[in-house]
């Protein structure tokens, strides 16, 4: 049976990218090799463009970088964060198009795809860049997801066997001379539980790089420090720094009562699983909490068949920078917005009423509004109410009301 959609997860940083695919019917996520038949998942983030308009990507681009018949582009991600670097932005889009085309190896080129991209961190510039990228790729908002490495780690972990995430889950990412430690921790006893990710970082002294035994002892001390007073059920080692088989004392410190994994493609697999989860179902027993997530949710009180009905405007745990739905409202009597506000930190609920002033000068039954909750950060949302007119009878005055809601 031909699947309806293919889910693509891309791990992207300034040096390289990795791609994973999943579709209904696959037993597990598959990370795509840059070279068919070989386990070479890391694709250098480089493009070479000839004067005739031919493009070469990854290792093919690196082999041509010194040639005089074209232009070599590298460092595309960091340069594309600047809106003025138009060429780098366009080259990054070309590179991503190439990665998305990997689905052709599976005969899925005609299938609709959902894309998730995991990057080291999310800033305002990252959000702006990938809004541009999504537009260039002509993807609808519900088919695109942006996340940082911590959220990708969460998405990957909570799709594994429950024994992995029974307690806290640790990840050590060793790249170059830097070791990043991430720790997933679950809070709450309700139906939906909050998962947060702590982060620490260490620098490995240069003189240790060539001495396996000393490096092992140095890292074993990091493990002792990171695991102090914590109950951990799963541990991941990722990154080129763990190559070479030098993990001996460190594994003894980790202990035998934990599930331990080693690899390099966790972030791309996590992004792929997040794309799938985001599309197939939004209902899940866990949500990830971090600075770019909404810290609460808003629901508008309405009447339906004579009974109170609550329309959810924003959802706890969603990215604050993602587009929200717009609704159209008609009122009988005096218009007001009665909004139920649920704040995560206090798990408290409060109600606020917002009343628009200086309404259009026409009968209330001829007033129709459009309403959109527009987050401007994880803790602040603007309720934007606009006079929408009333068909051919009344033109819109264009008047807009904005009410700020604090989520704490």
């Amino acid at each position: 049976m031909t699947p309806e959609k293919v889910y693509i997860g891309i791990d992207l940083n300034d040096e390289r990218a990795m791609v994973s695919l999943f579709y209904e019917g696959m037993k597990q996520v598959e990370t795509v090799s840059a070279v068919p038949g070989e386990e070479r998942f890391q694709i250098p983030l480089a493009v070479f463009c000839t004067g005739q308009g031919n493009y070469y990507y990854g290792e093919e681009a690196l082999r041509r970088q010194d040639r005089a018949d074209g232009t070599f582009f590298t460092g595309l991600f960091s340069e594309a964060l600047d809106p003025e670097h138009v060429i780098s932005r366009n080259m990054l889009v070309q590179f991503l198009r190439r990665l998305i085309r990997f689905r052709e190896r599976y005969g899925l080129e005609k299938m609709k795809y959902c894309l998730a991209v995991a990057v080291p961190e999310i800033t305002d510039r990252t959000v702006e860049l990938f809004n541009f990228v999504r537009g260039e790729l002509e993807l609808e908002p519900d088919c695109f997801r942006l996340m940082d490495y911590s959220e990708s780690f969460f998405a990957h972990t909570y799709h594994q066997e429950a024994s992995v995430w029974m307690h806290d889950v640790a990840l050590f990412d060793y790249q170059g001379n830097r070791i990043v430690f991430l720790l997933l921790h679950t809070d709450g006893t309700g139906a939906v539980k909050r998962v947060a990710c702590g982060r620490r970082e260490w620098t490995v002294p240069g003189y240790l790089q060539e001495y396996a035994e000393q490096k092992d002892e140095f890292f074993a001390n990091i493990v002792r420090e990171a695991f102090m007073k914590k109950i951990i059920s799963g541990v991941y080692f990722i990154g080129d720094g763990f190559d070479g088989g030098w993990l001996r004392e460190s594994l003894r410190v980790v202990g035998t009562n934990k599930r331990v994994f080693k690899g390099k493609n966790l972030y791309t697999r996590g992004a792929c699983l997040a794309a799938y989860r985001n599309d197939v179902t939004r209902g899940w027993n866990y949500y990830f909490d971090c600075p770019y997530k909404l810290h609460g949710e808003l629901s508008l009180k309405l009447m339906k068949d004579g009974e109170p009905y609550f329309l959810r405007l924003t959802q706890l745990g969603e990215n604050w920078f993602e587009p929200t739905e717009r609704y159209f409202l008609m009122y009988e009597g005096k218009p007001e917005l009665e909004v139920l506000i649920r704040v995560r930190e206090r798990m408290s609920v409060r109600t606020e009423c917002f009343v628009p002033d200086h309404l259009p000068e026409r009968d209330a039954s001829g007033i129709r509004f459009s309403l959109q909750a527009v987050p401007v950060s994880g803790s602040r949302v603007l309720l934007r109410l606009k006079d929408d007119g009333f068909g051919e009878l009344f033109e819109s005055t264009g008047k807009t009301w904005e009410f700020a809601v604090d989520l704490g």
Side-chain angles (χ1 to χ4, degrees), residues 76-237:
L76 294 175
F77 182 30
S78 58
E79 288 192 1
L81 290 171
D82 185 344
E84 295 185 2
H85 287 185
V86 178
I87 295 178
S88 294
R89 288 194 160 200
N90 291 333
M91 289 298 104
L92 180 63
V93 171
Q94 291 282 8
F95 186 88
L96 292 173
R97 288 189 197 276
R98 175 65 174 177
L99 300 184
I100 292 167
R101 284 182 55 193
F102 279 178
R103 72 191 195 279
E104 296 176 6
R105 295 184 189 175
Y106 301 81
L108 302 171
E109 60 271 15
K110 295 183 180 180
M111 298 298 102
K112 183 177 180 180
Y113 68 90
C114 294
L115 174 65
V117 178
V119 296
E121 64 174 343
I122 290 181
T123 64
D124 290 344
R125 282 198 164 190
T126 316
V127 171
E128 190 278 327
L129 169 61
F130 281 95
N131 281 336
F132 167 80
V133 168
R134 182 181 64 81
E136 292 297 299
L137 296 177
E138 298 181 341
L139 282 172
E140 295 296 324
D142 61 350
C143 284
F144 180 77
R145 191 82 171 177
L146 178 65
M147 68 195 69
D148 67 7
Y149 281 170
S150 297
E151 184 177 2
S152 178
F153 174 35
F154 156 76
H156 179 277
T157 299
Y158 281 79
H159 281 88
Q160 308 309 307
E161 295 178 0
S163 60
V164 176
W165 43 267
M166 183 183 303
H167 303 294
D168 292 354
V169 184
L171 178 147
F172 293 96
D173 184 351
Y174 187 178
Q175 306 280 353
N177 68 341
R178 187 180 68 165
I179 296 175
V180 174
F181 172 66
L182 303 178
L183 185 74
L184 292 176
H185 176 74
T186 305
D187 282 334
T189 57
V192 180
K193 299 177 180 60
R194 168 181 175 264
V195 181
C197 187
R199 186 182 189 279
R200 295 185 66 183
E201 185 175 322
W202 291 267
T203 299
V204 181
Y207 69 88
L208 290 180
Q209 299 289 358
E210 298 180 4
Y211 300 98
E213 186 175 341
Q214 290 87 339
K215 182 165 59 174
D216 187 21
E217 182 59 37
F218 177 83
F219 182 62
N221 288 329
I222 288 178
V223 175
R224 292 186 182 97
E225 183 180 348
F227 285 9
M228 188 178 297
K229 298 182 180 180
K230 297 178 177 64
I231 302 176
I232 294 173
S233 54
V235 183
Y236 290 89
F237 298 105

Side-chain angles (χ1 to χ4, degrees), residues 11 141 192 210 220 319 347 350 357 383 400:
D11 168 8
V192 180
E210 298 180 4
N319 296 344
M347 292 309 293
R350 72 180 192 270
D357 56 5
L383 291 176
T400 300

